[in-house]
Amino acid sequence: MLSAVDRPAALKDPVRNIKSYHGPRRTIIVVDDNADHRDLMRELLAPLDFTVLAAASGAACLALAEHTEPDLFLIDISMPGMSGWDLVTRLREAGQSAPAIMLSANIGDGSAAGAIGHDDALAKPFGLRQLTDKLAIHLKLEWIYDDGPKETSGTDKTTAVASPGHHHLKELIELGEIGYVRGIEAKLTEIALNPDNRAFAEAARAYVGAFDLAGYDAFLKRLLAGEANARA
C-alpha cells in the first residue's frame, strides 16, 4: 500500500523552469535494466543539480547503496532476476530508509502484494513536472526557478498537424510507453523523410525535447482518436 502524503501548496504553482533547489545537493539512485531509460533519467535530473547514480540491476543497486548515502531511489518494477518489488524489500532489510518511487508502464505488473517499503509510484510515460512534483514531496524540496515562465510544449500549435498514419502513431506510442527516446527520435527522423510529415515530426519532437513524455503520449493519442472518428 502506498503511503499517504500531503501535497505541498507550492506544487499548485503554474509550470515554471526549475533550475535547482535550496539546501544540500541530493543523491538519487536510478535502477533500470534499460540503458536508454537510465540515460533519460540522468538527462532529466542532472541539470536540476541532482547527483544521479545508475544501476542496471537490483544486485548492482544493493552494492552501490552500500557505499553511498542516497536520498531517494527511482526503481523500475520490471527487471530480470530481481524485480523492483523484490529490490525495495531487500533495501529496507539492509537498512536503507531513503524514499523509493516505483516506475513502470504498468504499475500493476508483477505483484505488489508482498512488497514492503516503497513510498510512491509513477506510471510511464511521465512528464518532467510529474517527476519533479514527486521529488518535491518526498525530498521536501523548495525549488529555485528561472525568472521567466516555462514554455509549454506548444499544444496550441499542433492541433492542426496531420497524422502520419495509424501504424506510425501506434509505434511511436509504444516507444513512448517504454521511454525509448532514441527509438522515438529515429522513428521521427524516418517519418520526416516524407515532406508531408515534417510538421508532425517537429511537433512531436517539441514534446520529447521538453522531456514531456506524458504530453507526447496525449498528443499522439489525440491524433489516433481523430483518425478513428474520421473512419467512423
Side-chain angles (χ1 to χ4, degrees), residues 10-208:
L11 297 185
K12 299 176 184 178
D13 289 346
V15 177
R16 299 158 65 192
N17 279 321
I18 297 171
K19 62 180 181 179
S20 187
Y21 48 87
H22 293 284
R25 195 171 193 183
R26 310 304 208 280
T27 297
I28 296 176
I29 293 183
V30 176
V31 192
D32 199 309
D33 62 303
N34 187 302
D36 290 301
H37 295 181
R38 298 194 301 272
D39 289 345
L40 174 61
M41 297 307 294
R42 185 179 287 107
E43 290 171 8
L44 286 170
L45 296 170
L48 304 184
D49 284 344
F50 291 101
T51 297
V52 183
L53 305 177
S57 67
C61 174
L62 291 170
L64 183 60
E66 285 184 3
H67 306 289
T68 58
E69 295 183 4
D71 296 287
L72 184 137
F73 295 92
L74 292 170
I75 302 174
D76 186 57
I77 293 174
S78 299
M79 295 186 291
M82 188 187 305
S83 73
W85 298 125
D86 294 334
L87 172 59
V88 75
T89 301
R90 293 279 299 274
L91 287 169
R92 298 310 184 219
E93 290 173 349
Q96 291 288 343
S97 59
I101 299 176
M102 314 303 287
L103 309 177
S104 178
N106 178 9
I107 293 301
D109 62 4
S111 175
I116 59 171
H118 60 292
D119 299 270
D120 211 332
L122 192 56
K124 299 177 182 177
F126 50 83
L128 180 58
R129 177 60 186 267
Q130 293 171 286
L131 177 60
T132 55
D133 277 5
K134 296 288 189 185
L135 297 180
I137 290 169
H138 294 288
L139 294 175
K140 298 178 173 60
L141 297 176
E142 181 182 354
W143 297 117
I144 299 172
Y145 296 97
D146 282 342
D147 293 334
K150 181 177 180 179
E151 293 184 4
T152 63
S153 301
T155 303
D156 292 340
K157 300 177 183 178
T158 63
T159 51
V161 170
S163 167
H166 180 84
H167 67 288
H168 288 312
L169 290 175
K170 293 289 288 183
E171 184 174 345
L172 285 166
I173 288 170
E174 290 170 1
L175 291 169
E177 286 176 345
I178 63 173
Y180 188 18
V181 173
R182 292 178 189 172
I184 293 171
E185 291 173 343
K187 183 64 180 177
L188 290 175
T189 298
E190 173 196 329
I191 290 172
L193 293 175
N194 181 339
D196 293 339
N197 293 332
R198 286 176 186 166
F200 164 81
E202 181 180 348
R205 282 198 180 100
Y207 288 99
V208 177

Side-chain angles (χ1 to χ4, degrees), residues 212-229:
D212 183 7
L213 292 184
Y216 163 90
D217 185 67
F219 165 61
L220 297 178
K221 287 179 178 176
R222 282 196 301 271
L223 290 178
L224 200 62
E227 281 195 346
N229 291 335

